[in-house]
Coordinates of all heavy atoms in Angstrom, one line a residue:
R1 N 0.8 -1.2 0.0 CA 0.0 0.0 0.0 C 0.9 1.3 0.0 O 0.5 2.2 -0.7 CB -0.9 -0.1 1.2 CG -1.9 1.1 1.3 CD -2.9 0.9 2.3 NE -3.9 1.8 2.1 CZ -5.2 1.7 2.4 NH1 -5.6 0.5 2.8 NH2 -6.0 2.6 2.1
Y2 N 2.0 1.2 0.7 CA 2.8 2.4 0.8 C 3.9 2.5 -0.2 O 4.6 3.5 -0.4 CB 3.5 2.5 2.2 CG 2.6 2.8 3.3 CD1 2.2 1.8 4.2 CD2 2.0 4.0 3.5 CE1 1.3 2.1 5.3 CE2 1.1 4.3 4.5 CZ 0.8 3.3 5.4 OH -0.1 3.6 6.4
S3 N 4.0 1.4 -1.0 CA 5.1 1.4 -2.0 C 4.9 2.5 -3.1 O 5.9 2.9 -3.7 CB 5.2 0.0 -2.7 OG 4.1 -0.2 -3.5
M4 N 3.7 2.9 -3.3 CA 3.5 4.0 -4.3 C 3.8 5.3 -3.8 O 4.0 6.3 -4.5 CB 2.1 3.9 -4.9 CG 1.7 2.5 -5.5 SD 2.9 2.1 -6.8 CE 2.1 2.9 -8.2
V5 N 3.8 5.5 -2.4 CA 4.0 6.7 -1.8 C 5.5 6.9 -1.3 O 6.1 7.9 -1.5 CB 3.0 6.9 -0.6 CG1 3.3 8.2 0.1 CG2 1.6 6.8 -1.1
L6 N 6.0 5.9 -0.6 CA 7.3 5.9 0.0 C 8.3 5.1 -0.9 O 8.1 3.9 -1.1 CB 7.3 5.3 1.4 CG 6.5 6.1 2.4 CD1 6.4 5.3 3.7 CD2 7.1 7.4 2.7
F7 N 9.4 5.7 -1.2 CA 10.4 5.0 -2.0 C 11.1 3.9 -1.1 O 11.4 2.9 -1.7 CB 11.5 6.0 -2.5 CG 12.6 5.3 -3.2 CD1 12.4 4.8 -4.5 CD2 13.8 5.1 -2.7 CE1 13.4 4.1 -5.2 CE2 14.8 4.4 -3.3 CZ 14.6 4.0 -4.6
S8 N 11.2 4.2 0.2 CA 11.9 3.2 1.0 C 11.0 1.9 1.1 O 11.6 0.8 1.1 CB 12.1 3.8 2.4 OG 10.8 4.1 3.0
A9 N 9.7 2.0 1.1 CA 8.9 0.8 1.1 C 9.0 0.1 -0.2 O 9.0 -1.2 -0.3 CB 7.4 1.2 1.4
H10 N 9.1 0.8 -1.3 CA 9.3 0.2 -2.6 C 10.6 -0.5 -2.7 O 10.7 -1.6 -3.2 CB 9.2 1.3 -3.7 CG 9.3 0.8 -5.1 ND1 8.2 0.2 -5.7 CD2 10.3 0.8 -6.0 CE1 8.6 -0.1 -6.9 NE2 9.8 0.2 -7.1
A11 N 11.7 0.1 -2.1 CA 13.0 -0.5 -2.1 C 13.0 -1.8 -1.3 O 13.6 -2.8 -1.7 CB 14.0 0.5 -1.7
V12 N 12.3 -1.8 -0.2 CA 12.3 -3.0 0.7 C 11.6 -4.1 0.0 O 12.0 -5.3 0.0 CB 11.6 -2.6 2.0 CG1 11.2 -3.9 2.8 CG2 12.5 -1.7 2.9
Q13 N 10.5 -3.8 -0.8 CA 9.8 -4.8 -1.6 C 10.8 -5.5 -2.6 O 10.8 -6.7 -2.8 CB 8.6 -4.2 -2.3 CG 7.5 -3.9 -1.4 CD 6.3 -3.3 -2.1 OE1 6.5 -2.9 -3.2 NE2 5.2 -3.2 -1.4
H14 N 11.6 -4.7 -3.3 CA 12.5 -5.2 -4.2 C 13.6 -6.1 -3.6 O 13.9 -7.1 -4.1 CB 13.2 -4.1 -5.0 CG 12.4 -3.6 -6.1 ND1 12.4 -4.2 -7.4 CD2 11.7 -2.5 -6.3 CE1 11.6 -3.5 -8.2 NE2 11.2 -2.5 -7.5
V15 N 14.0 -5.7 -2.4 CA 15.0 -6.5 -1.7 C 14.4 -7.8 -1.3 O 15.0 -8.9 -1.4 CB 15.6 -5.8 -0.5 CG1 16.4 -6.7 0.4 CG2 16.4 -4.6 -0.9
L16 N 13.2 -7.8 -0.8 CA 12.5 -9.0 -0.4 C 12.3 -10.0 -1.5 O 12.6 -11.2 -1.4 CB 11.2 -8.7 0.3 CG 11.3 -8.1 1.7 CD1 9.9 -7.7 2.2 CD2 12.0 -9.0 2.7
V17 N 11.8 -9.4 -2.6 CA 11.6 -10.3 -3.8 C 12.8 -10.8 -4.5 O 12.9 -11.9 -4.9 CB 10.6 -9.5 -4.8 CG1 10.5 -10.3 -6.1 CG2 9.3 -9.3 -4.2
G18 N 13.8 -9.9 -4.5 CA 15.1 -10.2 -5.3 C 16.1 -11.0 -4.5 O 16.8 -11.8 -5.1
L19 N 16.1 -10.9 -3.2 CA 17.1 -11.5 -2.4 C 16.6 -12.6 -1.4 O 17.2 -13.6 -1.2 CB 18.0 -10.5 -1.6 CG 18.8 -9.5 -2.5 CD1 19.5 -8.5 -1.7 CD2 19.8 -10.3 -3.4
I20 N 15.5 -12.3 -0.7 CA 15.0 -13.2 0.3 C 14.2 -14.3 -0.3 O 14.3 -15.5 0.1 CB 14.2 -12.4 1.3 CG1 14.9 -11.2 1.9 CG2 13.6 -13.3 2.4 CD1 16.2 -11.7 2.6
A21 N 13.4 -14.0 -1.3 CA 12.5 -15.1 -1.9 C 13.4 -16.2 -2.5 O 13.0 -17.4 -2.4 CB 11.6 -14.5 -2.9
P22 N 14.4 -15.9 -3.3 CA 15.2 -17.0 -3.8 C 15.8 -17.9 -2.7 O 15.9 -19.1 -2.9 CB 16.3 -16.3 -4.6 CG 15.8 -15.0 -5.0 CD 14.9 -14.6 -3.9
L23 N 16.2 -17.3 -1.6 CA 16.8 -18.1 -0.5 C 15.7 -19.0 0.1 O 16.0 -20.2 0.4 CB 17.4 -17.2 0.6 CG 18.6 -16.5 0.2 CD1 19.0 -15.6 1.3 CD2 19.7 -17.5 0.0
L24 N 14.5 -18.5 0.2 CA 13.4 -19.3 0.8 C 13.1 -20.5 -0.2 O 12.8 -21.6 0.2 CB 12.2 -18.5 1.1 CG 12.4 -17.4 2.2 CD1 11.2 -16.6 2.4 CD2 12.7 -18.1 3.5
L25 N 13.1 -20.2 -1.5 CA 12.8 -21.2 -2.5 C 13.9 -22.3 -2.4 O 13.7 -23.5 -2.6 CB 12.7 -20.6 -3.9 CG 11.4 -19.9 -4.2 CD1 11.6 -19.2 -5.5 CD2 10.3 -20.8 -4.2
L26 N 15.2 -21.9 -2.2 CA 16.3 -22.8 -2.2 C 16.1 -23.7 -1.0 O 16.3 -24.9 -1.1 CB 17.6 -22.0 -2.1 CG 18.8 -22.9 -1.8 CD1 19.2 -23.6 -3.1 CD2 20.0 -22.0 -1.4
Y27 N 15.8 -23.2 0.2 CA 15.6 -24.0 1.4 C 14.4 -24.9 1.3 O 14.3 -25.9 2.1 CB 15.7 -23.2 2.6 CG 17.1 -22.7 2.9 CD1 17.3 -21.3 3.0 CD2 18.1 -23.6 3.1 CE1 18.6 -20.9 3.3 CE2 19.4 -23.1 3.3 CZ 19.6 -21.8 3.4 OH 20.9 -21.3 3.7
G28 N 13.4 -24.5 0.5 CA 12.2 -25.3 0.3 C 12.5 -26.6 -0.5 O 11.7 -27.5 -0.5
A29 N 13.6 -26.6 -1.2 CA 14.0 -27.8 -2.1 C 12.9 -28.2 -3.0 O 12.4 -29.4 -2.9 CB 14.5 -28.9 -1.2
P30 N 12.4 -27.4 -3.9 CA 11.3 -27.8 -4.8 C 11.6 -29.0 -5.7 O 10.8 -29.8 -6.0 CB 11.0 -26.6 -5.6 CG 12.2 -25.7 -5.5 CD 12.9 -26.1 -4.2
L31 N 12.9 -29.1 -6.1 CA 13.2 -30.2 -7.0 C 13.2 -31.6 -6.2 O 12.7 -32.6 -6.7 CB 14.6 -30.0 -7.6 CG 15.1 -31.0 -8.6 CD1 14.1 -31.0 -9.8 CD2 16.5 -30.7 -9.1
S32 N 13.7 -31.6 -5.0 CA 13.6 -32.8 -4.2 C 12.2 -33.2 -3.9 O 11.8 -34.4 -4.0 CB 14.3 -32.6 -2.9 OG 15.7 -32.4 -3.1
L33 N 11.3 -32.2 -3.6 CA 9.9 -32.5 -3.3 C 9.2 -33.0 -4.6 O 8.4 -33.9 -4.5 CB 9.2 -31.2 -2.8 CG 9.6 -30.8 -1.4 CD1 8.9 -29.4 -1.1 CD2 9.2 -31.8 -0.4
A34 N 9.5 -32.4 -5.7 CA 8.9 -32.9 -7.0 C 9.4 -34.3 -7.3 O 8.5 -35.2 -7.7 CB 9.3 -32.0 -8.1
L35 N 10.6 -34.7 -7.1 CA 11.1 -36.0 -7.3 C 10.5 -37.0 -6.4 O 10.2 -38.2 -6.8 CB 12.6 -36.1 -7.2 CG 13.4 -35.5 -8.4 CD1 14.9 -35.4 -8.1 CD2 13.2 -36.3 -9.7
K36 N 10.2 -36.6 -5.2 CA 9.6 -37.6 -4.2 C 8.1 -37.8 -4.5 O 7.6 -38.9 -4.3 CB 9.7 -37.0 -2.8 CG 11.1 -37.1 -2.3 CD 11.2 -36.6 -0.9 CE 12.7 -36.6 -0.4 NZ 12.8 -36.0 0.9
S37 N 7.5 -36.8 -5.1 CA 6.0 -36.9 -5.3 C 5.7 -37.5 -6.7 O 4.6 -37.9 -6.9 CB 5.4 -35.5 -5.2 OG 5.8 -34.7 -6.2
M38 N 6.6 -37.5 -7.6 CA 6.3 -38.0 -9.0 C 6.6 -39.5 -9.1 O 7.5 -40.0 -8.4 CB 7.1 -37.2 -10.0 CG 6.7 -35.8 -10.1 SD 7.7 -34.9 -11.3 CE 7.0 -35.4 -12.8
R39 N 6.0 -40.1 -10.1 CA 6.2 -41.5 -10.4 C 6.3 -41.7 -11.9 O 5.8 -40.8 -12.7 CB 5.0 -42.4 -9.9 CG 5.0 -42.4 -8.4 CD 3.9 -43.4 -8.0 NE 3.8 -43.4 -6.5 CZ 2.7 -43.7 -5.9 NH1 1.6 -44.0 -6.5 NH2 2.7 -43.6 -4.6
G40 N 7.0 -42.7 -12.3 CA 7.0 -43.1 -13.7 C 7.9 -42.3 -14.6 O 9.0 -41.9 -14.2
E41 N 7.4 -42.0 -15.8 CA 8.2 -41.4 -16.8 C 8.5 -39.9 -16.5 O 9.6 -39.4 -16.8 CB 7.4 -41.4 -18.1 CG 8.2 -40.9 -19.3 CD 7.4 -41.1 -20.6 OE1 6.8 -42.1 -20.8 OE2 7.4 -40.1 -21.3
G42 N 7.6 -39.2 -15.8 CA 7.8 -37.8 -15.5 C 9.0 -37.7 -14.5 O 9.8 -36.8 -14.6
R43 N 9.0 -38.7 -13.5 CA 10.1 -38.6 -12.6 C 11.5 -38.9 -13.2 O 12.5 -38.2 -12.9 CB 9.9 -39.7 -11.5 CG 10.9 -39.6 -10.4 CD 10.5 -40.6 -9.3 NE 11.2 -40.4 -8.0 CZ 12.3 -40.9 -7.7 NH1 12.9 -41.8 -8.6 NH2 12.9 -40.6 -6.6
A44 N 11.5 -39.8 -14.1 CA 12.8 -40.1 -14.8 C 13.2 -38.9 -15.7 O 14.4 -38.6 -15.7 CB 12.6 -41.3 -15.7
L45 N 12.3 -38.2 -16.3 CA 12.6 -37.0 -17.1 C 13.1 -35.9 -16.2 O 14.1 -35.2 -16.5 CB 11.3 -36.6 -17.9 CG 11.5 -35.4 -18.8 CD1 12.5 -35.8 -19.9 CD2 10.2 -35.0 -19.4
L46 N 12.5 -35.7 -15.1 CA 12.9 -34.7 -14.2 C 14.3 -35.0 -13.6 O 15.1 -34.1 -13.4 CB 11.8 -34.5 -13.0 CG 12.1 -33.3 -12.1 CD1 12.1 -32.0 -12.8 CD2 11.0 -33.3 -11.0
A47 N 14.5 -36.2 -13.2 CA 15.8 -36.6 -12.7 C 16.9 -36.4 -13.7 O 18.0 -36.0 -13.4 CB 15.8 -38.1 -12.2
A48 N 16.6 -36.7 -15.0 CA 17.6 -36.5 -16.1 C 17.8 -35.0 -16.3 O 19.0 -34.6 -16.5 CB 17.1 -37.1 -17.4
A49 N 16.8 -34.2 -16.2 CA 17.0 -32.7 -16.3 C 17.8 -32.2 -15.1 O 18.6 -31.3 -15.3 CB 15.7 -32.1 -16.4
A50 N 17.6 -32.7 -13.9 CA 18.3 -32.2 -12.8 C 19.8 -32.6 -12.8 O 20.6 -31.9 -12.3 CB 17.7 -32.9 -11.5
G51 N 20.1 -33.7 -13.5 CA 21.5 -34.1 -13.6 C 22.2 -33.6 -14.9 O 23.3 -33.9 -15.2
S52 N 21.5 -32.7 -15.6 CA 22.1 -32.3 -16.9 C 23.2 -31.3 -16.7 O 23.4 -30.6 -15.6 CB 21.0 -31.6 -17.8 OG 20.6 -30.4 -17.2
R53 N 24.1 -31.2 -17.7 CA 25.2 -30.3 -17.6 C 24.8 -28.8 -17.5 O 25.4 -28.0 -16.8 CB 26.1 -30.5 -18.8 CG 26.8 -31.8 -18.9 CD 27.5 -32.1 -20.2 NE 28.7 -31.2 -20.3 CZ 29.3 -31.1 -21.5 NH1 29.0 -31.8 -22.5 NH2 30.4 -30.3 -21.5
G54 N 23.8 -28.5 -18.2 CA 23.3 -27.1 -18.2 C 22.8 -26.6 -16.8 O 23.2 -25.5 -16.4
L55 N 22.1 -27.5 -16.2 CA 21.6 -27.1 -14.8 C 22.7 -27.2 -13.8 O 22.7 -26.3 -12.9 CB 20.4 -28.1 -14.4 CG 19.6 -27.7 -13.2 CD1 18.9 -26.3 -13.5 CD2 18.6 -28.7 -12.9
R56 N 23.6 -28.1 -14.0 CA 24.8 -28.1 -13.1 C 25.6 -26.8 -13.3 O 26.1 -26.2 -12.3 CB 25.6 -29.3 -13.3 CG 25.1 -30.5 -12.6 CD 26.0 -31.7 -12.6 NE 26.0 -32.2 -14.0 CZ 27.1 -32.8 -14.6 NH1 28.2 -33.0 -13.9 NH2 27.0 -33.2 -15.8
A57 N 25.7 -26.3 -14.5 CA 26.5 -25.1 -14.8 C 25.8 -23.9 -14.2 O 26.4 -23.0 -13.6 CB 26.7 -24.9 -16.3
L58 N 24.4 -23.8 -14.3 CA 23.7 -22.7 -13.7 C 23.7 -22.7 -12.2 O 23.5 -21.7 -11.6 CB 22.2 -22.7 -14.2 CG 22.0 -22.3 -15.7 CD1 20.6 -22.5 -16.1 CD2 22.5 -20.9 -15.9
S59 N 23.8 -23.9 -11.6 CA 23.8 -24.0 -10.1 C 25.2 -23.8 -9.5 O 25.4 -23.8 -8.3 CB 23.2 -25.3 -9.7 OG 24.0 -26.4 -10.1
N60 N 26.2 -23.6 -10.4 CA 27.6 -23.3 -9.9 C 27.5 -22.0 -9.1 O 26.9 -21.0 -9.6 CB 28.5 -23.2 -11.1 CG 29.9 -22.9 -10.7 OD1 30.2 -22.4 -9.6 ND2 30.8 -23.2 -11.6
P61 N 28.0 -21.9 -7.9 CA 27.9 -20.7 -7.1 C 28.4 -19.4 -7.8 O 27.8 -18.3 -7.6 CB 28.7 -21.0 -5.9 CG 28.8 -22.4 -5.8 CD 28.7 -22.9 -7.2
V62 N 29.4 -19.5 -8.6 CA 29.9 -18.3 -9.3 C 28.9 -17.8 -10.3 O 28.6 -16.6 -10.4 CB 31.3 -18.6 -9.9 CG1 31.8 -17.4 -10.7 CG2 32.3 -18.9 -8.8
I63 N 28.4 -18.8 -11.1 CA 27.5 -18.4 -12.2 C 26.1 -17.9 -11.6 O 25.6 -17.0 -12.0 CB 27.2 -19.6 -13.1 CG1 28.5 -20.1 -13.7 CG2 26.1 -19.3 -14.1 CD1 29.1 -19.2 -14.7
A64 N 25.7 -18.6 -10.5 CA 24.4 -18.2 -9.9 C 24.6 -16.8 -9.2 O 23.6 -16.0 -9.3 CB 24.1 -19.3 -8.8
S65 N 25.7 -16.5 -8.7 CA 25.9 -15.2 -8.1 C 25.9 -14.1 -9.2 O 25.3 -13.1 -9.0 CB 27.2 -15.1 -7.3 OG 27.2 -16.0 -6.2
A66 N 26.6 -14.4 -10.3 CA 26.6 -13.5 -11.4 C 25.2 -13.3 -11.9 O 24.8 -12.1 -12.2 CB 27.5 -14.0 -12.5
L67 N 24.4 -14.3 -12.1 CA 23.0 -14.2 -12.5 C 22.2 -13.4 -11.6 O 21.3 -12.5 -12.0 CB 22.4 -15.6 -12.8 CG 22.9 -16.3 -14.0 CD1 22.3 -17.7 -14.0 CD2 22.6 -15.6 -15.3
L68 N 22.4 -13.6 -10.3 CA 21.6 -12.8 -9.3 C 22.0 -11.3 -9.4 O 21.1 -10.5 -9.4 CB 21.9 -13.3 -7.9 CG 21.3 -12.5 -6.7 CD1 19.8 -12.7 -6.8 CD2 21.8 -13.0 -5.4
L69 N 23.3 -11.0 -9.5 CA 23.7 -9.6 -9.6 C 23.2 -9.0 -10.9 O 22.8 -7.8 -11.0 CB 25.2 -9.5 -9.5 CG 25.8 -9.8 -8.2 CD1 27.3 -9.8 -8.2 CD2 25.2 -8.8 -7.1
L70 N 23.1 -9.8 -12.0 CA 22.6 -9.2 -13.3 C 21.1 -8.9 -13.2 O 20.7 -8.0 -13.9 CB 22.9 -10.2 -14.4 CG 24.4 -10.2 -14.9 CD1 24.6 -11.4 -15.9 CD2 24.8 -8.9 -15.5
T71 N 20.4 -9.7 -12.4 CA 18.9 -9.5 -12.4 C 18.7 -8.2 -11.6 O 17.6 -7.6 -11.7 CB 18.2 -10.6 -11.7 OG1 18.7 -10.8 -10.4 CG2 18.3 -11.9 -12.5
L72 N 19.6 -7.8 -10.7 CA 19.4 -6.5 -10.0 C 19.5 -5.3 -10.9 O 19.0 -4.3 -10.6 CB 20.4 -6.4 -8.8 CG 20.2 -7.5 -7.7 CD1 21.3 -7.4 -6.7 CD2 18.8 -7.4 -7.1
Y73 N 20.3 -5.5 -12.0 CA 20.4 -4.3 -12.9 C 19.5 -4.5 -14.1 O 19.3 -3.7 -14.8 CB 21.9 -4.3 -13.4 CG 22.8 -3.9 -12.2 CD1 23.7 -4.9 -11.7 CD2 22.8 -2.7 -11.7 CE1 24.5 -4.6 -10.7 CE2 23.7 -2.4 -10.6 CZ 24.5 -3.3 -10.1 OH 25.4 -3.0 -9.1

C-alpha cells in the first residue's frame, strides 16, 4: 500500500523479492519435493534434467551469483 508513496517501502519490496525469496525457495528444495512426489516417466525425465550439464552449470555458485547480480540491474 505504501510502495507507491514511499520510496523506502518500494526498495524494501525489491530486496525481499530479489534476495530473500530465492533463498526461501532454495531451502524449500522444490526439486527434491517434486522427485519424491512424482512417479513413472515424469520422474525419470525430471531426474535426467536435474543431472544435466546445463543445470549443473547454472547452479555453480559463481554463475548463480553473477546471474543474481545481473537481475538486480
